[in-house]
Structures are given as C-alpha cells and as structure tokens.
Amino acid sequence: MSKHKVGIVGGDGIGPEVIAEGLKVIAACGVELETIDYDIGGARYLKDGMVLSDEILDEWRGLDAIYLGAVGTPEVPPGVIERGLLLKMRFDLDLYVNQRPFVKPDDGEGSGHDFVVIRENTEGAYAGEGGFLRKGTPQEIATQGSVNTRMGAERAIRYAFDLARTRRAHLTLVHKTNVLTFSGDLWERTFNEVATEYSDVETAYNHVDAACIYFVEDPQRYDVVVTDNLFGDILTDLGGAVSGGIGVASSANLNPSRTGPSMFEPVHGSAPDIAGQQKANPVAAILSGAMMLDFLGEPDAADRITMACADAASLTGSTAEIGDAVVGRL
Ligand code: IPM
Ligand code: MN
C-alpha cells in the first residue's frame, strides 16, 4: 500500500505531546505515513497573526488526512482559533460527520457500554448566522440562528444509518422537537423518511434533555445516536465523562464523500495548565489515530491499536510512558 499523506497539526498546549505518542503507536504498527508538519494554532497566531491561510487549505485538499492535537491558547480571544481554524476546517473541507465513539469496558457486572455519536458537523448554531443590532446600547440585540438544511441533516442521518448497519442495527435520533418545531420537524421528517430505506435498523427518538439522563443512567440503550451540531457538542462531552473521561475520548471529522482529507483529533482541548509536563493522557489522541487508520483503509492496524487501548484505565504514567505501554500491548 502506498504511503498515506497526512498533515500534522500538533497545535498548542498538550497537543504536540499527545500527537507524538499517536505517531509513535502508528509507526509501531508498521503503517508508513508521509507526514507534513503545520505550525498553526494559538501560538502561531500570536507570532504573526496567521490562523489558517488559503494556501494551507489548498495544500490540505491534496492530503489523505489531517491529524490534529489541540489548538487554542488563553492569550487569544475566544472565537479566533475556534472559528478561524477548527470550524473553518470543518466547513471548508466539508467534514460533515463528527464521529465520536464511547466505550466503557464491562467491570463484570454488566455495567459496560459501547455507543457512537454522529454529530452533524457543518450547520446548526455553528453556521455563524446572526449578528448584533444597536450594539453597545441598552437596547442591544444579539441573534444567533440555527441553520438546518435538508441536505445537511440527510447526509448525517444516512451516514448514521449505514454505521448502525455495521453494528447492532439500532439508531436513535436526539433533538428537541417539542420546542424547536422548525428544525426539529425537518430533522424528524428526514429521519423517518430515510428510515424507510433501512427497515433492518431499529429506530428510536429522545429529546436531548432526556438523552442527558440516559447517557448517565442507561447508556446501554444506545448503539448509534445521530444529532445536530450543538446538541452533539454537548452530548459528546457528557459521553466522554461517562466513558472513562475526556482523556480517552477520540473523534473523527469525516468527509465521507472523500472529496478531500478527513481530520482526526482527540475531543479534549489544549490544557495549557499541564502543557509540556508529560502529564497529558495520550490515549484520546492514539485512539483518534486508530480512527484515521481505519478511514485510510488500514482496519487491521486500527483494530490492534483500539484493542491495545481497551483497558485504558490501567495505562498510567507519563505521556510517553503511556505511549510506550500501548506499543507494548500491540
Ligand atoms: C469540540 C470543541 C469545538 C466545538 C470547539 C473548540 C470549537 O468543543 O470539538 O467539541 O465546539 O465543536
Ligand atoms: Mn466540544
């Protein structure tokens, strides 16, 4: 197999440390990557004001994948890196599925779970619709709309149905149809229409507030969950919290049409308070690397890495020691 071309964005804080372990584990599997490093993120922005240039984006379109640690520094105002880098990548590279798996091993009392959240990744409240009126006056108005297209909802929903077919054939739509009667209606109608093509997949619906309770009290009811961008953001932090913590939560920002590279990153942020101290848990980044290999057509290596991280709670020590321990378990 030819070498996969992967753009590496270590980024800020603990990002470079955890990505180094991910690359170490991938190399130990015998998968060869042709990597290209990109110095972007909060620190780069503070140096010369560059967030994400059109040149870099164009270069990325020719890559197979992007492997990203974490971006963001406390010195940069909120929104600059989030909108200018992460969301720009998701939108401009059309990474319309954000796939986040949550696995908690069984402790012998049937308490484990294994489900995946498919978060729509290009629309909703993240689209940036809205603005200010009369800013800075006592009558100030801020609106922040939620953009929902039939196409956007449908492609995320179809991806989720296809994924459910490869698993336990159960898919839950999460929304808030009782209050969001426009966007919720579009999502629910689309979900029900697509469901007629997947009669082998059992479906369910939960309001997002109820889903928060089920994530904590009965996560075993879920196989695949599909939801919009903002609900998916919130629910996946909760998913991480009930599945061994954010230190082991992995994610894939996918362009399933493969018209460009997909992007793989741990769910956690840059954690500047512990940066450079070898204190970060690299398992989330390592597992995100496994998702990348799976998407690149290396399912055997991906499975080996995932298995090696299965008992993540027993992996302790410094960032590099955990990386070495995963290599030892391959
Ligand atoms: C995530 C993050 C991002 C999001 C932020 C950093 C823009 O929280 O990937 O979940 O809200 O999508
Ligand atoms: Mn988030």
Side-chain angles (χ1 to χ4, degrees), residues 71 81-83 86-87 90 98 100 119 121 126 229-230 232-234 236-237 251 253 265-267:
V71 288
I81 302 299
E82 290 85 347
R83 283 220 160 265
L86 259 190
L87 299 189
R90 290 176 183 171
N98 196 324
R100 296 184 162 175
R119 162 186 177 188
N121 212 28
Y126 280 69
N229 207 342
L230 183 56
D233 176 51
I234 299 163
T236 53
D237 266 25
S251 84
N253 295 258
E265 56 166 348
V267 175

Side-chain angles (χ1 to χ4, degrees), residues 41-61:
R44 170 67 189 264
Y45 172 76
L46 290 172
K47 243 185 277 167
D48 65 5
M50 205 278 282
V51 181
L52 177 56
S53 65
D54 292 339
E55 288 73 35
I56 293 182
L57 255 180
D58 281 343
E59 229 175 273
W60 281 356
R61 288 181 215 282

Side-chain angles (χ1 to χ4, degrees), residues 68-197:
L68 184 146
V71 288
T73 34
E75 299 81 21
V76 180
V80 174
I81 302 299
E82 290 85 347
R83 283 220 160 265
L85 180 54
L86 259 190
L87 299 189
K88 193 173 165 61
M89 278 174 88
R90 290 176 183 171
F91 296 171
D92 289 19
L93 298 173
D94 209 19
L95 309 178
Y96 63 85
V97 161
N98 196 324
Q99 180 163 335
R100 296 184 162 175
F102 298 102
V103 179
K104 187 171 156 238
D106 205 325
D107 63 3
E109 288 166 33
S111 65
H113 61 248
D114 176 354
F115 63 93
V116 184
V117 175
I118 298 303
R119 162 186 177 188
E120 197 290 322
N121 212 28
T122 58
E123 304 192 336
Y126 280 69
E129 197 260 351
F132 294 107
L133 289 171
R134 306 176 193 144
K135 191 172 182 183
T137 75
Q139 293 79 27
E140 177 165 351
I141 298 166
T143 59
Q144 189 96 46
S146 170
V147 173
N148 296 264
T149 70
R150 166 74 196 211
M151 179 205 72
E154 184 169 336
R155 62 187 186 174
I157 287 168
R158 281 190 183 279
Y159 181 89
F161 269 107
D162 285 333
L163 180 65
R165 253 188 188 158
T166 69
R167 295 172 48 96
R168 302 192 301 276
H170 189 282
L171 178 62
T172 306
L173 170 66
V174 170
H175 210 283
K176 185 75 185 176
T177 54
N178 53 343
V179 173
L180 305 183
T181 50
F182 308 128
S183 60
D185 186 74
L186 174 68
W187 272 83
E188 193 170 42
R189 257 185 301 120
T190 306
F191 184 80
N192 291 337
E193 278 176 39
V194 174
T196 63
E197 298 171 37

